[in-house]
Amino acid sequence: MDDAVDTALRLFHARGYDGVGVAELGAELGIKPPSFYAAFGSKAGLFQRALERYTASDANVFARAQAEGGGVAAVVDRTLALAAQLYPGRADGVAGCLVLDGTRNSADPEARALTAALKRASRAAIRDFIATEAPARADELADFLVIAMAGMSAAARDGADAATLASFAGMASQAFHHAFAAA
């Protein structure tokens, strides 16, 4: 089961939810459609498991940055730097963030709802963390970070390299520091 979720995660991350069909998933997993549906319930059920695996991994750049400790400014700097390192893609060529881009333009409302819930939870965690030091501007600063990360993910999927994203991350960090100091 773990290998099946890893395989699905890789496929969904590479091509997005709509870009991967049940027949292909079954073939990649070595199972027929009845067994696929018995194991996962639906394509969206497998996608949910893949998202859970993804968000519990090192791909969750905010959680990784926060785990290293420090104040808001340091954690935001690390979050942006980690995104700049991770989003351009690994050796397998998968770029961007599965949560941010996996259902972009998807026709499946269930899949979109899964990523939307994760985006809301992530924004809330970022907002709550920022509120520990800047409660009056926590919403605005959280939106800034979320939008910056979404842009970095989209740029990576469009081919932006690590150097380009690192440069952007540095500028975004400076802008965040400026806004944060005014909070």
Side-chain angles (χ1 to χ4, degrees):
M1 193 64 80
D2 282 345
D3 289 343
V5 173
D6 286 339
T7 297
L9 192 158
R10 179 181 47 79
L11 291 170
F12 288 134
H13 196 182
R15 296 202 313 269
Y17 181 82
D18 287 3
V20 182
V22 172
E24 179 183 8
L25 286 165
E28 286 283 331
L29 303 178
I31 58 176
K32 303 262 186 236
S35 297
F36 175 87
Y37 290 109
F40 304 110
S42 65
K43 178 180 162 184
L46 178 55
F47 185 58
Q48 181 174 5
R49 289 188 187 186
L51 287 168
E52 289 167 357
R53 172 83 43 91
Y54 184 80
T55 58
S57 75
D58 284 347
N60 188 334
V61 294
F62 177 70
R64 279 176 59 192
Q66 194 176 24
E68 291 183 34
V72 168
V75 170
V76 167
D77 288 350
R78 277 196 303 273
T79 298
L80 290 165
L82 286 167
Q85 291 170 4
L86 182 68
Y87 290 175
R90 302 178 305 269
D92 61 7
V94 177
C97 173
L98 176 61
V99 173
L100 295 172
D101 286 312
T103 59
R104 186 172 310 282
N105 301 319
S106 175
D108 188 308
E110 186 177 2
R112 286 193 322 267
L114 291 169
T115 57
L118 290 171
K119 290 175 193 178
R120 282 190 305 274
S122 178
R123 187 207 174 273
I126 291 167
R127 187 240 170 260
D128 291 349
F129 182 68
I130 292 171
T132 63
E133 293 181 36
R137 295 194 64 202
D139 282 310
E140 178 183 21
L141 292 167
D143 287 340
F144 176 87
L145 183 57
V146 168
I147 291 168
M149 291 173 59
M152 291 172 72
S153 178
R157 289 187 73 84
D158 287 343
D161 62 16
T164 300
L165 293 180
S167 176
F168 175 84
M171 288 185 280
S173 288
Q174 287 176 349
F176 184 90
H177 284 264
H178 179 73
F180 185 67

